[in-house]
Amino acid sequence: MSQHDLELKKLRKVYPGGTVAVEAFDLQVERGEFISFVGPSGCGKTTTLRMIAGLEDISGGSLLIRGKDFTKVPTERRPTSTIFQNYAIFPHMTVRENIEFGLTVRKVAADEKKRRVDAIIEKLQLGDVAGAKEGALSGGQKQRLALARGLITEPDILLLDEPLGALDANLRKSIQEELKLLQRSLNITFIFVTHAQSEALSMGDRVVVMNTGRVEQISAPFELYTRPKSPFVARFIGRNQMIDGTLDEVHDGRASVATRFGVLSGVPSFERTDSASGANAMIVVPSEYVEIFAAGASASDELRDRVSGVATAIDKAGQVVYVTVELDSTLSVRLESHMENIAGRGIEPGSSVDLRWRPERATVVLGGS
Ligand SMILES: Nc1ncnc2c1ncn2[C@@H]1O[C@H](COP(=O)(O)OP(=O)(O)O)[C@@H](O)[C@H]1O
Ligand SMILES: [Mg+2]
């Protein structure tokens, strides 16, 4: 009775030998969503994908697709297709034969097979190379062939494990866009694994951030970028400035943190009931929201929170300027600014500066450095 295309409930994987690769993984995916999984190497992304595909036994918890329990159903009876980084194209078969293969093993009748293969060849613009073999294909064509093979069986869910990893940067960018458009036009759920945060954020409707087998946060990209829920996410995603301290008070949707630079405040990322005064906490501010002024210069009233330091380096790159500011002996920050905010405002190497931001742009996360 579930409306969800995919539902993971407390999914767990322990490999023989005892490695706990995935723990308590909860996720609900709407039909047609594009979900990115991101996290450092070894955090359990591939293992989770393989459990969804039925390529890996599930050690605990359950997995539902369109409301039906698939936890123990073998891979060939799941409505999923998987695309791996190396594409696993059969080199001795033509493009057409590679695409047909999934229907041949399912014993689909010849006329229907032809109709479906023709349609997908057209959709993915592989007509010109339908008779070619892998060796004659460009990187982009191989990528499209891998997609065609994944989609020909009309899966409910397409699983992609770092599918763009083998491509160079320019091709990668254009294929990201193609992939996103294709997914929209098909309205099929995509689960897309990557270790690159920028790719996860640009592709995903929602992003699942993983760390050592656990889900750290599931959020839409902008939310993830501006409102991290843990020190790990604040460090892994975006460009955040972070100052640690201890939680002071929480009320009316504001939390204050006692830091060695004074009391600073922000929007708490946690439920009020989680908070304990005196717990380790961090103020997290996306670098984009931090403004730099000469020490003591007046600034808009909205930029209420402030720390002071010394500009130790100013690197100019055209109109963009990178300013390194030492706040104390253990904390230096690097900020991007514009020439017009720096030149003629008394900010030079060695000068004292104030960094200011709006407290409502800051997030307070629990945990230490
Ligand atoms: N077949 C396996 N047997 C034992 N341990 C494995 C196996 N595959 C992966 N692992 C371990 O499980 C953890 C998660 O791996 P993986 O899912 O491949 O991470 P990711 O895809 O995020 O890099 C790692 O510690 C890895 O060493
Ligand atoms: Mg992997």
Side-chain angles (χ1 to χ4, degrees), residues 142-198:
K142 282 186 215 174
Q143 168 69 34
R144 292 207 298 273
L145 171 54
L147 278 168
R149 288 208 327 178
L151 293 168
I152 192 69
T153 55
E154 299 175 353
D156 292 342
I157 301 172
L158 190 68
L159 306 164
L160 305 102
D161 195 355
E162 311 223 16
L164 310 183
L167 305 174
D168 70 54
N170 285 335
L171 188 55
R172 200 174 167 126
K173 193 78 215 151
S174 76
I175 291 187
Q176 280 177 8
E177 283 158 21
E178 260 181 45
L179 196 58
K180 188 85 193 166
L181 286 172
L182 178 71
Q183 190 266 346
R184 284 279 172 268
S185 75
L186 294 166
N187 198 34
I188 291 178
T189 298
F190 276 35
I191 310 278
F192 179 90
V193 165
T194 175
H195 63 269
Q197 59 125 340
S198 60

Side-chain angles (χ1 to χ4, degrees), residues 252-271:
D252 291 343
R254 279 300 165 84
S256 56
V257 178
T259 78
R260 59 195 188 282
F261 308 109
V263 175
L264 300 168
S265 66
V267 177
S269 71
F270 47 88
E271 297 296 322

Side-chain angles (χ1 to χ4, degrees), residues 4 14-15 23 95 132 161 193 244 259 266 303 315 343 345 351:
H4 297 116
V14 187
Y15 281 110
E23 182 84 285
V95 165
D161 195 355
V193 165
D244 63 333
T259 78
L303 301 169
D315 303 312
R345 294 206 181 174
S351 59

